[in-house]
Structures are given as C-alpha cells and as structure tokens.
Amino acid sequence: MKNELVVVEPQIRPGVALLRLNRPKELNALNWQLMAELRDALKVLDQDDSVKTMVLTGNDRAFAAGADIHQMADKSAMDLLLIDQFSTWEQIRRLKKPLIAAVSGFVLGGGNELVMHCDLVIASETARFGQPELLLGIMPGAGGTQRLTRQIGKVRAMEMVLTGQAISAKDALAWGLVNRVVPVECYLDEALRLASDIAQRAPLDLRLAKESVLKSQDSSLSEGLAFERKNFYLLFASN
Ligand code: CAA
C-alpha cells in the first residue's frame, strides 16, 4: 500500500503496521489530502486482522509542523465549515487498535493535536511540542485546547496555548504528553518495540481496554466505571 503523502508498511514487524507522513519539504504540514490519505490508510489497517498495532511517524526533522497554513490562508469561515476537515480527525479518534506515535523534531499545532489522537507516544530528545496558533492570529481547532488541558492540566495548557511557545521533549515527558524520550537514533525502534510487545496481547482485550481508557476522557467516574465493568464481563464471553 503506497500513497503519495502517507507511506504505509503494513507488516514492518509481525502484527505491526508503520505509517510515515511524507511531505518532508513542507515539514509534514497536514494538508487535507494528507489527512484524508492518513484516515483511509488507518481505516484499512484497523480492519485488517493481521495488524494488531499501528505506529505513526514522520521524519527526524519534523513529525508535523501543523495544519497547512497556506491551504487555510484564503479560506472563509464558511469554506472551512463546508470542508469539515475535523470529521477526518474524528474518524482517526475512533480507531479500535492501538496507535503509537514515534515523533522527532517539530510537533506543532495540528501535529501536536495528531499526537494526542494517538494512544502512546515515543519522542526523540530533539522533539519540540507546541501549539503556536495564537502566533498566527488563530487558535487550535483539533483538540489543542480540550485534549491538551485534560492531558497536562489547565495552567500548563494555558501557557502552551497563550504563549505559543514550544516545550522540550524533557518537559513533555514531565508534563505527561509522552511516554518516553530516547535519543533520536532510537525513537522509531523504541516505538516499534513497544508496538510489537503490545501486539502479543489478545486483540479483543486490546480493543476493549483501549475503548475503556478513552472513555475516561469524556465521562464521569461512575459512567466510566460502569463502561469498564461491561467490557470486563464481555471478555468472559470470548476465548
Ligand atoms: N503549513 C504549511 N507549510 C509549512 C508549515 C505549515 N504549518 N510549516 C512549515 N511549512 C513549510 C514552509 O512554508 C517552508 O516551505 P517553503 O520552503 O516552500 O517556503 C518549509 O515548510 C520549511 O519551513 P521553514 O523554511 O519555515 O523552516 P524553518 O526551519 O525555518 O522553521 C518552523 C520551521 C519553525 C516549524 C516554521 O516553518 C513554522 O513556524 N511553521 C509554522 C508552524 C505553525 O504555525 N503551525 C500551526 C499551524 S495552524 C494549526 O495547526 C491549526 C490547527 O489546530 C489544526
């Protein structure tokens, strides 16, 4: 499977698919075509029984420098409403299988928001995470005020969003944006190792456990616990 803007290796390791954002000259700016290709590739892999986990990466210089600002620059509010780019992101959010981000270099704006759509994050020491939209006179639109706040807390999210300044991989680790920080030579291998390990788990376990953890992000504790319990019982109906 080879697309222009997203390169896919469906079995880079047994049970593990790799997707690479492929607009290196534009620092992997997330234009609508790239996002549509990414969504389509992820949906195919999500339904492929031979794939257990997926790893999303860019290149050493940039995971992604954000939404494509040139593409948005001359659009009206109504154009953007009709293009409805965020329904693509919503479909990525609903993937059943674990999606692991392996990031390096610029992780900005929509790039950081895309990382927050992933379930686990391995970062290189050179990664820099930011929501610079206010420096452009706009604001985050793909979860950069909502998911970021739930993930790192109000005052830290407020600082990132209002100043637009990027933070280091070390700070991202301390603030809970990423799971691990490793030297730039190792971040992809480390993500693939983690993906291979998780791929050993039973597929239904993975699916229901991921769903349950995500449920905690937008439900009350009692609702989340009830959801967890149902999924727990459900697994006793499987092999
Ligand atoms: N959109 C479109 N093109 C981009 C881009 C973006 N977000 N970021 C970088 N590029 C392009 C540049 O235009 C340039 O292309 P040309 O060579 O054709 O001019 C190429 O990538 C390399 O960029 P630079 O020459 O600027 O590289 P640099 O090393 O000097 O700077 C950078 C790197 C600091 C990341 C700088 O490119 C930058 O600030 N980019 C914009 C980052 C940004 O504001 N992101 C947020 C976008 S809005 C958003 O994401 C909204 C949302 O919530 C969905």
Side-chain angles (χ1 to χ4, degrees):
M1 218 185 323
K2 203 161 200 174
N3 297 308
E4 200 187 339
L5 301 179
V6 180
V7 177
V8 181
E9 293 184 55
Q11 290 287 335
I12 183 127
R13 303 222 175 140
V16 179
L18 178 68
L19 301 98
R20 189 184 288 280
L21 305 179
N22 188 34
R23 283 188 88 197
K25 281 211 295 277
E26 294 83 7
L27 305 181
N28 288 332
L30 304 168
N31 66 13
W32 300 320
Q33 187 192 336
L34 181 152
M35 287 305 296
E37 281 187 22
L38 179 61
R39 173 204 56 205
D40 292 347
L42 285 167
K43 277 170 90 174
V44 169
L45 297 167
D46 209 36
Q47 286 167 11
D48 178 342
D49 287 344
S50 69
V51 173
K52 302 288 190 299
T53 55
M54 304 174 288
V55 174
L56 176 61
T57 196
N59 56 58
D60 293 354
R61 184 168 177 225
F63 172 68
D68 191 315
I69 44 191
H70 305 308
Q71 193 172 39
M72 287 190 296
D74 64 348
K75 297 291 180 291
S76 69
M78 204 47 70
D79 290 336
L80 292 175
L81 179 85
L82 293 173
I83 290 165
D84 190 23
Q85 58 169 314
F86 296 122
S87 66
T88 302
W89 295 69
E90 196 51 37
Q91 292 172 62
I92 294 174
R93 191 186 72 84
R94 286 202 297 267
L95 293 169
K96 308 286 185 217
K97 292 179 185 164
L99 178 60
I100 299 170
V103 304
S104 177
F106 298 114
V107 187
L108 301 178
N112 194 41
E113 290 167 316
L114 185 55
V115 165
M116 290 189 285
H117 281 64
C118 297
D119 303 306
L120 296 139
V121 188
I122 304 298
S124 94
E125 285 166 348
T126 64
R128 293 194 56 82
F129 300 79
Q131 295 291 157
E133 289 87 346
L134 267 73
L135 303 177
L136 301 171
I138 56 173
M139 65 173 277
T145 65
Q146 300 304 299
R147 281 198 188 91
L148 187 65
T149 305
R150 280 172 173 73
Q151 208 161 321
I152 66 176
K154 185 188 101 173
V155 294
R156 286 166 169 169
M158 205 62 101
E159 183 176 339
M160 284 182 76
V161 171
L162 298 188
T163 68
Q165 297 306 315
I167 61 167
S168 66
K170 197 167 149 237
D171 285 342
L173 181 65
W175 289 8
L177 259 184
V178 307
N179 294 84
R180 293 199 236 311
V181 177
V182 296
V184 65
E185 304 76 36
C186 315
Y187 71 98
L188 183 55
D189 276 346
E190 178 64 15
L192 292 173
R193 194 198 57 70
L194 183 60
S196 293
D197 178 26
I198 293 172
Q200 308 303 311
R201 310 286 95 74
L204 266 181
D205 279 12
L206 288 177
R207 175 172 169 164
L208 297 188
K210 167 172 169 165
E211 206 177 84
S212 299
V213 173
L214 289 181
K215 183 75 179 173
S216 74
Q217 302 296 288
D218 60 5
S219 66
S220 67
L221 181 60
S222 55
E223 237 184 289
L225 287 170
F227 188 85
E228 178 190 77
R229 223 164 285 145
K230 282 210 183 99
N231 279 352
F232 176 80
Y233 295 143
L234 196 55
L235 283 174
F236 283 78
S238 77
N239 289 335

